Amino acid sequence: MRILAVSGSLRAGSHNTNLLRAAIDAAPQGIEVELFDPAGIADLPLYDQDLDVAGDVPRSVARLREEWGAADAILFATPEFNGSVPGGLKNAIDWASRPRLEAPLTNKTVAVIGASTGQFGAMWAQADLRKILGIAGARVVGDELPVTRAHEKFDAEGGLLDGELHERLRLLLGTLAAESVPAGVSAAA
Ligand SMILES: Cc1cc2nc3c(=O)[nH]c(=O)nc-3n(C[C@H](O)[C@H](O)[C@H](O)COP(=O)(O)O)c2cc1C
């Protein structure tokens, strides 16, 4: 069972990326969590239907579709920017939602977590992301996991300081794995 961990933040010291690194450590036996390189989001062109030509999409788009499509499930961690998801993450999801019937996100089992430095733990961004992913064709499972005051939850090396959060990540990964349809297997099979 391979879960891809996608951070909505591009910055090197990201709390959301650190949260996903903590998920790698919290993974139950038999579940492998792999961090998606944030450059895979930064390098994408803005979605343009004129560029979305079968067999001839930009390299960065082909790579994104291949890597997201190959995962058994995806765990997204999103910051909140002005009350919603970062534009780069939304753009990546738009690319991954096409071509509609064979898109990487079609029937993909996904879960959403999020961290912000404020008091609400990116709750609005998580709610929007769940909605966007559902409309894009993914199966959103598990509860929201808001990490508030994220700057207090990690040490200087990015290590998680909060044992309860470690446990919640472990449980969420278990749910995500249990609900997922392995890549390459039809959901109807
Ligand atoms: C442009 C911008 C807008 C932001 N808007 C919000 C917001 O609406 N709500 C919130 O809780 N935090 C907001 N923040 C704070 C971010 O949640 C915080 O910087 C967070 O740590 C970013 O995630 P990262 O550490 O993974 O990069 C904003 C930050 C930026 C740079």
Side-chain angles (χ1 to χ4, degrees):
M1 173 61 52
R2 217 181 116 263
I3 295 177
L4 192 64
V6 176
S7 175
S9 175
L10 305 180
R11 71 185 186 96
S14 161
H15 301 309
N16 282 279
T17 307
N18 283 338
L19 189 58
L20 292 175
R21 290 199 181 96
I24 293 172
D25 292 340
Q29 214 177 3
I31 301 176
E32 186 198 337
V33 181
E34 188 186 320
L35 191 62
F36 181 69
D37 183 352
I41 289 180
D43 291 347
L44 293 169
L46 287 177
Y47 186 84
D48 178 344
Q49 245 181 312
D50 291 340
L51 297 179
D52 201 355
V53 177
D56 193 27
V57 293
R59 251 181 88 76
S60 56
V61 173
R63 204 162 39 231
L64 175 94
R65 287 178 173 169
E66 194 181 310
E67 291 187 30
W68 287 24
D72 295 318
I74 303 179
L75 175 64
F76 289 92
T78 185
E80 187 164 291
F81 284 179
N82 297 310
S84 190
V85 299
L89 180 57
K90 173 66 165 61
N91 184 51
I93 290 168
D94 291 341
W95 279 114
S97 70
R98 291 292 187 276
R100 196 55 168 146
L101 291 179
E102 55 202 71
L105 286 175
T106 300
N107 287 324
K108 185 72 70 187
T109 309
V110 301
V112 171
I113 58 180
S116 83
T117 47
Q119 302 289 346
F120 300 104
M123 278 299 276
W124 283 344
Q126 290 184 63
D128 281 1
L129 183 52
R130 293 169 74 92
K131 181 190 75 174
I132 292 163
L133 287 165
I135 292 171
R139 299 170 57 237
V140 186
V141 303
D143 293 328
E144 283 148 6
L145 200 167
V147 178
T148 61
R149 302 187 62 79
H151 50 293
E152 296 174 356
K153 302 284 162 60
F154 301 94
D155 63 24
E157 282 75 46
L160 186 62
L161 295 168
D162 185 326
E164 189 189 325
L165 199 47
H166 176 90
E167 183 60 16
R168 290 188 66 184
L169 287 168
R170 196 180 69 77
L171 291 172
L172 181 61
L173 288 167
T175 300
L176 188 51
E179 299 270 347
S180 76
V181 181
V185 176
S186 160

